[in-house]
Amino acid sequence: MAALLPLILIAVIALNGYQRAADEATNSTKEVLDQRSLESLELRTVETANAISRFLNSSVQDVRLFALIDPTAVVYRNFYRNHTGEIWERQGTNEAHRQVRYQAPLYKELAYIDATGQEQLRLLDGQLVPASDLRNVADPANTTFKSETYFNDTKGLRQGQIYVSNVTAWNLTREQQLGTAADSYEAIEGEKYDAVIRFTTPVFDEEGNFNGIVMMGLDFRHVMEYVLHISPISEQPYTIYPDYNSGNYAYMFDHEGWHITHPRQWVLRGLDENGQLVSHATGEMRQENPALLNIHPFNMQFGNWADPNLPLMYDAVLQEEAGFVITENQSGARKATTYAPIRFAQGVYADAGIFGGVAIGAEMAEFHRPANQVGANITAVRRTIENNTMIITGISIVMLVTMVTLVARRITRPLSELTEAAHIMRQGELDIAKFDNLEKRRWTDEVTTLSNVFRDMAEKVQLRQRRLQERIAQLNIQIDEQKREQQVAEVAESDYFQKLQANAREMRARFDRSEKEKKKKAADETMLTEKTEKEQAEEVE
């Protein structure tokens, strides 16, 4: 048993060492993979933000080009058709829908407006607006959203300068988006967020006099496409529509903190029926009347009631900083959220130099999935090593026990025979057969040597014992003879013995006389018989 303890101790130490090494490797790997995943997510966020920035700047170049073309219906239609982008969306019903990808015009509205603010040519969704429906947009009340000031903000610009409006849309409520659906992920039939960004620039005649402005209404869906389909943690990097409840989605907010892209479109920046911004949702609304959250947009600046990190993200983006935070959305999904600024310095965004920010959130469990998979692989390898170690240890123990048993038997059996022979020897006998067996063993070792010593010793002891016994026997004989002679002398000298001798002599004398008489009588009878037989023979003759 004592021999097994070191082996068991080594196995325990090895298993504990494997456990510690596996844990350290798993934790280190998780940290590295989490860091790499986070870096990858940050990089994707930055790339998305930069792509949006490039797209917005391309629209700036488009409006400059648009200002150079002739303001005719044919030319405007060609411009409308030649500037398209892909839209990926779901169509059909909530129960039966399909994914479609198609090319849609970038600009849903194109217009030439004279120096007074009167629309001279307006193309809406590719259709020429009749002259009777043309408006004087110098009055914001006549604009599409009843409060737009793009004409007045543009007419004071110098040639080549660009005005870009905020994202402009009617406020969309939860009921309008969902319809009969349970959540935004299932909503197909409901209304969609329909927003535009106005790009305008002044137009001058050959003498440099102000001659009006041109306006392009960018279909904001093309900007949303960069963000809405992002799948942060998936083998497929994009999805047709994100599941808000999973926590794995991206969103976008503008330079004022308003959400402008989000799976829940009722949280997006919107105007009321009078063209005024709908006030942002607040923590008081959630406590007093949560239903109000379904009709009020969300603003990052004032979103600490939902998550304290949101205002920090907004402030960082205005400082043109990218980074990440651990946030929790309103469904309770805890996630790692990376953010990056969208650099753009035209129009209303000129002062901030920022269009807004992109944020990509990954639910923590999904975010750790690559690290957990590696951790699971390490654990599997560790378990394999542990199992192999246990098997090897078990086999080693069995082999050790077997070897110890064989060695023990090799030693203990001859020792037992030697002990038995010693006991027999102690009784005065010598078992030559046992010593012969010990001497004839396959292996010559200390036991064989010891048995030889015992045999020599036993033979010498037995020889000495025999000699001693012979001497004792001789001494006993001598002693017995002396005692007998002494006893005979004592008897012979006694009166009784003398009388017995006398009686014996007398008895021998009487016996001798009786024998003589018997012999004489027998002889006489023999002679008489012979004589009689002789006489009878003579008479017969």
Side-chain angles (χ1 to χ4, degrees), residues 508-522:
R508 280 197 298 271
R510 284 197 302 267
F511 180 78
D512 292 337
R513 287 193 301 270
S514 175
E515 286 295 323
K516 287 180 179 180
E517 290 177 354
K518 288 179 180 180
K519 289 180 179 179
K520 184 179 179 182
K521 184 178 181 180

Side-chain angles (χ1 to χ4, degrees), residues 113-156:
I113 304 165
D114 66 18
T116 67
Q118 181 63 37
E119 293 176 338
Q120 298 297 315
L121 179 64
R122 181 170 173 240
L123 209 66
L124 180 63
D125 293 329
Q127 301 298 319
L128 187 65
V129 176
S132 59
D133 293 335
L134 297 176
R135 308 159 302 179
N136 189 309
V137 294
D139 183 359
N142 294 330
T143 58
T144 301
F145 294 98
K146 300 182 180 181
S147 59
E148 297 177 90
T149 62
Y150 56 86
F151 176 79
N152 296 322
D153 290 330
T154 306
K155 69 178 182 180

